[in-house]
Amino acid sequence: MSNDDWKRQAAEQALTYVEDGMKLGLGTGSTAAKFVELLGAKVKAGLKVVCVPTSEATRAQAAALGIPLTTLDETPALDLTVDGADEVDEELRLIKGGGGALLREKIVAVASDRVVIIADNSKLVETLGRFPLPLEVVPFGLAATEQLIIKLAADTGCEGEVKLRKGTDGKPFVTDNGNHILDCAFDAIEDPEALDDSLKLVPGLVETGLFLGIADVGIIAGPKGVEVLSGIEIDFEEDE
Ligand code: 5RP
């Protein structure tokens, strides 16, 4: 079996969380695409759902499969989002944004009651940071933004090359929101919460690829089978 098969297994397992009538968030990337493909088959067979895609690529895939689509403006609260990740640690903290969709992915995830992350086991890590952390930044003042990111990251113990992501045409990659991505090779992020808090002080930074306290369930498939990791689910209604 290959990573691709494991991605599919994780996607299949995520389908068991989907119920008729649900409002869903659809992730971005090769693993999420497998979930969208499987969901498309269920919709064809009669499942009723309405979905918010996290990227134009996912929107195109879902539309081609006949999956009913909506927006967060029409449907601001979702039942469930299923998405992939670039790294997952045992506390279900994630690095996302390898596909450049981190901002919409985070907006959609935070608008969802439940977030299920699907991945093959190559994404499981002890410490986040081996995968360069993507940061979505506005094009204006990029050099100043980059300098401040480097300084504030170093204050939290994170140092490494910060690189402007390029597209296949060699030009700066442009996100669905018209922004750029800085990929930060920090290697090991010992305190992701401190780094995230610090980076959020940078005015030109729109969002980080650190997803902390967002995922509820991680479905990780590998040679030993499918493992389901559960985070702590916070019931906000109980706090009222
Ligand atoms: C896109 C993402 C993806 O979820 C992440 O890059 C994983 O992608 P893949 O499933 O192709 O490995 O965050 O912005």
Side-chain angles (χ1 to χ4, degrees):
M1 286 235 253
S2 66
N3 278 19
D4 231 42
D5 298 318
W6 294 324
K7 287 177 183 185
R8 176 168 287 273
Q9 280 187 350
E12 276 166 1
Q13 179 87 14
L15 262 191
T16 64
Y17 290 78
V18 176
E19 291 169 20
D20 207 53
M22 273 189 165
K23 293 171 265 178
L24 302 176
L26 302 178
T28 295
S30 59
T31 318
K34 295 197 187 319
F35 174 78
V36 174
E37 196 185 313
L38 296 168
L39 185 71
K42 290 273 179 198
V43 167
K44 211 168 172 189
L47 179 79
K48 297 269 178 290
V49 286
V50 62
C51 302
V52 176
T54 55
S55 63
E56 294 309 317
T58 300
R59 177 189 306 285
Q61 185 199 6
L65 291 167
I67 296 173
L69 296 176
T70 183
T71 62
L72 281 185
D73 296 316
E74 284 169 3
T75 313
L78 304 176
D79 298 301
L80 170 72
T81 283
V82 178
D83 202 349
D86 299 300
E87 281 188 351
V88 183
D89 78 2
E90 59 176 15
E91 289 178 47
L92 283 181
R93 296 180 295 190
L94 318 171
I95 285 184
K96 285 184 53 56
L102 64 104
L103 177 58
R104 293 192 188 186
E105 288 172 335
K106 201 178 272 189
I107 292 171
V108 169
V110 168
S112 305
D113 276 351
R114 210 162 194 212
V115 176
V116 172
I117 295 300
I118 51 177
D120 65 86
N121 73 331
S122 69
K123 307 290 182 64
L124 258 187
V125 297
E126 215 175 288
T127 307
L128 296 177
R130 196 183 52 202
F131 187 92
L133 175 66
L135 305 176
E136 182 153 349
V137 292
V138 296
F140 179 85
L142 191 57
T145 296
E146 186 177 332
Q147 231 175 55
L148 190 53
I149 285 169
I150 291 168
K151 185 190 174 305
L152 293 179
D155 290 348
T156 71
C158 291
E159 290 184 35
E161 193 185 9
V162 174
K163 240 166 101 174
L164 180 64
R165 189 180 297 181
K166 299 274 174 64
T168 42
D169 56 3
K171 294 188 182 145
F173 174 82
V174 179
T175 69
D176 285 344
N177 318 299
N179 296 316
H180 295 320
I181 299 277
L182 292 173
D183 290 305
C184 308
F186 292 142
D187 198 33
I189 302 172
E190 299 297 344
D191 190 344
E193 284 77 12
L195 176 63
D196 204 46
D197 286 348
S198 197
L199 291 176
K200 281 180 175 153
L201 299 172
V202 179
L205 183 144
V206 184
E207 195 44 85
T208 79
L210 285 167
F211 283 50
L212 310 174
I214 290 178
D216 300 298
V217 175
I219 302 175
I220 314 293
K224 291 187 190 146
V226 179
E227 191 187 355
V228 179
L229 311 172
S230 284
I232 303 159
E233 286 185 42
I234 302 165
D235 187 348
F236 291 104
E237 279 168 24
E238 273 182 15
D239 295 340
E240 283 170 6

